[in-house]
Amino acid sequence: MFGLVFLSLLSFNAEASGKCRALALGGGNDKGAYEAGAVIGLVNNLPAGEAEWDVVTGNGVGAINGLIISQYETKSESYAATHLENFWTNFQTSQFYKQWIGSYIEGLLGKSGLYNTDPLKSTVNKLASAPFQRFFGVGATDLLTGDYVFFNTTNLSNSAMTSGVYASASEPIYFPLVPYKKFKLVSGSVKFTVDILSAVTGCMEKGYGIEDIIIDVVLPAGKTIGTQDCSSYTTLKVFSRYLDIESFNSNMQVVTNIKHDFKNINLRSVIYPSEDISNPFFPYDYSQEEIQNMINLGKKDAASALNTLSLAKE
């Protein structure tokens, strides 16, 4: 059993009858621009009122996108979508990290990550300039115990939440661990590529039953895996195919588990890249053209997912 630490006080006050809509944003890589595009696609293509998320959870880069969304009230998702697009369209790696004074040698031998993420901390603090406007939660992984540490806005200050976002976005190896109280934290995507369970819990804390919960999931680390003819594969090709399947299963396992554990839940959409997105040599080091292409692909994949379900606007 994995460990769970919830940094909040639970509240079980039932809210008005109706539906609880939740958005679960995944992590595990540096494709935040794709994820933002998918969210924008949901906002632009869902019928009126259907993109009003009461609960938002984020892991990895999903914590950054979730932070931006959570600064806006429910029913203001169009403004959040504009903020997401502006943030990633104008993104520079200097907003997230810089070299240590001793460059990679210092990162490898003297620090817990290759890059100095003081800029990421500053960016998170700037993005969290206002009180959170909806239930928002992010996950981090404690390197000391292996526990999953979940921060949420039920009873935590802005300062504590920004620490959680900073930790959740700190991908290990590239970015240093984040000390917080008794924990030594790195990205929550180490434990869960996407945290759908906490999104469900967030709705249940509001008094909703499983049958009244609607969830949209964006998995920027997910991937499409097609059928291949492996009859003439050599050992290296078999190994490569194994890695593709293992990666696909790892990213999609959380979705599979939720479908199994909550059979009456409305897992409305699961969006992940329909095309391969190349990884740069340095984290987040995409050109402006590559960033725009990721945003556009996210928008397209969201629209396609909704069209498949016949949920897109007429």
Side-chain angles (χ1 to χ4, degrees), residues 141-222:
T141 304
D142 181 26
L143 288 184
L144 298 177
T145 62
D147 287 346
Y148 183 71
V149 182
F150 186 68
F151 296 73
N152 75 68
T153 53
T154 301
N155 198 53
L156 289 179
S157 65
N158 265 40
S159 176
M161 285 302 301
T162 54
S163 294
V165 173
Y166 177 40
S168 189
S170 295
E171 296 292 343
I173 301 176
Y174 288 116
F175 296 165
L177 59 84
V178 176
Y180 179 79
K181 296 187 176 180
K182 64 181 181 178
F183 307 110
K184 303 294 184 184
L185 301 173
V186 294
S187 176
S189 62
V190 172
K191 295 286 286 189
F192 300 111
T193 306
V194 63
D195 191 353
I196 306 174
L197 180 59
S198 291
V200 173
T201 302
C203 282
M204 293 179 70
E205 287 180 17
K206 290 176 172 289
Y208 292 93
I210 294 297
E211 66 280 0
D212 296 319
I213 299 174
I214 301 170
I215 299 183
D216 296 300
V217 178
V218 183
L219 275 168

Side-chain angles (χ1 to χ4, degrees), residues 297-312:
L297 180 62
K299 291 178 181 179
K300 185 186 80 171
D301 288 344
S304 296
L306 297 179
N307 282 329
T308 300
L309 297 170
S310 301
L311 285 172

Side-chain angles (χ1 to χ4, degrees), residues 29-57:
N29 56 26
D30 54 3
K31 298 178 177 63
Y34 171 84
E35 184 171 68
V39 173
I40 295 165
L42 288 170
V43 172
N44 290 344
N45 290 283
L46 279 168
E50 289 300 321
E52 296 172 0
W53 295 292
D54 306 284
V55 170
V56 176
T57 63

Side-chain angles (χ1 to χ4, degrees), residues 206-246:
K206 290 176 172 289
Y208 292 93
I210 294 297
E211 66 280 0
D212 296 319
I213 299 174
I214 301 170
I215 299 183
D216 296 300
V217 178
V218 183
L219 275 168
K223 58 190 299 184
T224 300
I225 184 166
T227 302
Q228 294 186 7
D229 180 5
C230 305
S231 56
S232 61
Y233 270 19
T234 61
T235 301
L236 289 179
K237 287 185 176 180
V238 170
F239 181 63
S240 176
R241 180 62 171 170
Y242 154 73
L243 291 178
D244 283 342
I245 295 171
E246 194 278 334

